[in-house]
Amino acid sequence: MNAATSESPRNFDGARHPHNIVVGVCGGIAAFKACQLVREFTEGGDQVRVIPTNSALQFVGAATFEALSGNPVSTSVFEDVHEVAHVRYGQEADGIVIAPATADFLARVAAGRADDLLAATVLVATCPVVIAPAMHTEMWNNPATQANVATLRERGIVVLNPAVGRLTGKDSGAGRLPDPSHIAAVARTVFSGASMEHNLTGVNVLISAGGTQEVIDPVRFIGNHSSGRQGFALAEIAVQRGATVTLVAANNSTLPNPPGVKVIPVETTVELQHAMHNQAEGADVIIMAAAVADFRPAKPAEHKMKKSQGDAGLSTIELVENPDVLASLVEARAGGSLAAETVIMGFAAETGDDKQSILEYAQDKLQSKGCDVLMCNEVGPGKVFGQTTNQGFLLDSDGTVTEVAAGSKHVVSAQIWDKLALLL
């Protein structure tokens, strides 16, 4: 590598290490989802101790949590007094996750209460604490709850945004517990040392994700292996840091919508370009993380082409070039359609060859696209596309190259946002 490499944006270890995790469970209808959360951690190699409130045990029995975690369950500070459990659990934990957290629990923690084992554990803890609230919309929007959330965030506790969807009974709205896999991914990112500081408050972010599909006929298409995980993770980390986020998602059918993110589904590259330009006005940061097709069939067939009938289109497909979405956004900024201070970031999925390395190809792409930052990563069998991990290099327009350490796509997203926050 010829270019100088600077230090990582943040000094944290993005590698996956087992953690000693306390999972707190409060009394709400979403308590049953804590079972899946415990399994997410234990199957990842983490040691888990579940501390429910008394109310939580009205929804899920202690035996279930003990079977899933492999550890005994208690709720009172007067159990195992000789072990001083209400102090020891908080001292020994690498991280604490409360899911679901009720409005009452948020109020008790904000007030510094220690009237049960879970609240006492949080009060003792010096490790990272992640809280995933779940309650009715009116309770979440109540000024008292919002004030408690703001207080907890000011103290360094990570309070996740609730999802929007079906609640208890016939009600729907903000207050639904996020998907347990999402909670686990964000929690592990926090436990790795990544910051969830609200340093993006007031920032409007536009992100594209996924792989575009170009229609050949009603049942066939040209596509790629992109899962959209990196773009979704970027959106999730941004919204947790306080940003207002719009996500243009190409052909996503497996990933849950990130809580608090506006999602616009698209299929083709042309649709993605239209959506990005329609949403770009007012964006402070635009990230093109989608894997877009370079070409599309010139004349998609209206009916399924039949191999048995010798359709020539199946053996010879005439292609036309797709628009360069990243370059068009840079051009829009240069032409005044977007604010001059809009930060634009692209991605370069490279393989390298006997002519140039992946980094050299990425440097060429950065120059030709004219964006401010480019994430370069090596793709191939078992690398990046469809995987849960990523790594690579961040290239700045001034020639600086920053290595992005290997880690989950959420951890990589945290490193990217550390870099982008500096540009803002």
Side-chain angles (χ1 to χ4, degrees):
M1 184 176 68
N2 297 325
T5 302
S6 68
E7 295 182 356
S8 298
R10 285 185 59 82
N11 184 24
F12 68 86
D13 182 5
R16 175 75 180 95
H17 299 293
H19 294 108
N20 180 19
I21 298 173
V22 168
V23 174
V25 186
C26 297
I29 193 66
F32 75 94
K33 293 184 179 180
C35 298
Q36 183 181 342
L37 180 62
V38 172
R39 178 156 285 175
E40 288 273 349
F41 287 130
T42 57
E43 290 185 350
D46 298 307
Q47 292 295 317
V48 178
R49 179 175 294 276
V50 180
I51 303 180
T53 64
N54 283 323
S55 297
L57 295 181
Q58 297 294 316
F59 294 91
V60 181
T64 299
F65 290 131
E66 290 177 348
L68 291 173
S69 68
N71 283 308
V73 166
S74 58
T75 64
S76 172
V77 296
F78 296 105
E79 296 181 26
D80 298 323
V81 174
H82 65 289
E83 296 183 0
V84 198
H86 69 288
V87 173
R88 182 168 61 85
Y89 294 159
Q91 289 176 331
E92 294 178 352
D94 298 316
I96 297 175
V97 183
I98 316 296
T102 60
D104 176 72
F105 186 78
L106 294 174
R108 288 197 288 130
V109 174
R113 298 280 296 275
D115 47 352
D116 65 8
L117 184 57
L118 180 57
T121 299
V122 174
L123 193 61
V124 167
T126 57
C127 62
V129 178
V130 176
I131 295 179
M135 63 198 72
H136 264 69
T137 305
E138 295 83 357
M139 299 176 75
W140 172 250
N141 289 333
N142 189 284
T145 302
Q146 290 302 304
N148 290 332
V149 169
T151 296
L152 295 175
R153 285 172 171 166
E154 288 172 1
R155 295 175 184 167
I157 290 177
V158 176
V159 182
L160 305 184
N161 293 310
V164 176
R166 182 72 178 270
L167 305 173
T168 305
K170 298 180 180 179
D171 295 338
S172 294
R176 182 181 175 88
L177 186 72
D179 188 271
S181 62
H182 167 79
I183 298 172
V186 174
R188 284 178 173 140
T189 304
V190 174
F191 300 161
S192 74
S195 171
M196 288 296 167
E197 177 187 358
H198 268 224
N199 57 359
L200 297 178
T201 301
V203 176
N204 292 315
V205 175
L206 175 61
I207 301 173
S208 69
T212 59
Q213 296 178 357
E214 308 299 336
V215 174
I216 297 174
D217 64 18
V219 299
R220 301 179 179 92
F221 63 85
I222 297 173
N224 57 65
H225 296 295
S226 176
S227 65
R229 285 192 177 94
Q230 187 65 75
F232 273 61
L234 284 163
E236 291 170 359
I237 298 299
V239 79
Q240 295 303 334
R241 290 191 179 186
T244 299
V245 183
T246 298
L247 178 66
V248 178
N251 300 295
N252 173 64
S253 60
T254 59
L255 302 177
N257 288 345
V261 175
K262 176 184 177 182
V263 179
I264 300 174
V266 296
E267 179 178 353
T268 68
T269 299
V270 171
E271 290 174 355
L272 185 140
Q273 182 186 41
H274 289 162
M276 292 296 288
H277 281 270
N278 287 339
Q279 300 295 320
E281 185 177 357
D284 300 299
V285 180
I286 299 174
I287 302 178
M288 270 296 300
V292 297
D294 294 320
F295 295 89
R296 67 182 186 275
K299 298 177 181 179
E302 294 183 4
H303 306 284
K304 179 183 177 182
M305 291 186 284
K306 307 293 186 181
K307 178 181 178 182
S308 60
Q309 296 177 9
D311 278 333
L314 279 176
S315 58
T316 303
I317 300 175
E318 181 184 356
L319 301 176
V320 294
E321 190 170 355
N322 266 325
D324 189 324
V325 184
L326 176 59
S328 70
L329 291 166
V330 174
E331 291 170 3
R333 182 180 61 178
S337 299
L338 303 179
E341 60 270 19
T342 303
V343 176
I344 300 178
M345 176 183 176
F347 273 69
E350 300 291 351
T351 58
D353 53 31
D354 56 358
K355 297 179 181 179
Q356 292 191 110
S357 67
I358 62 168
L359 186 55
E360 289 169 329
Y361 275 120
Q363 289 169 327
D364 291 343
K365 185 172 184 177
L366 178 66
Q367 293 295 321
S368 64
K369 303 297 184 183
C371 53
D372 304 296
V373 182
L374 191 75
M375 172 72 180
C376 165
N377 42 41
E378 185 176 9
V379 296
K383 297 179 180 179
V384 183
F385 282 165
Q387 307 300 307
T388 59
T389 59
N390 199 356
Q391 68 183 97
F393 301 94
L394 281 176
L395 287 68
D396 288 9
S397 56
D398 64 3
T400 302
V401 178
T402 304
E403 184 172 3
V404 177
S408 73
K409 290 185 176 178
H410 284 82
V411 168
V412 168
S413 295
Q415 296 180 70
I416 290 172
W417 277 115
D418 285 335
K419 167 65 73 174
L420 294 176
L422 296 176
L423 297 180
L424 290 170

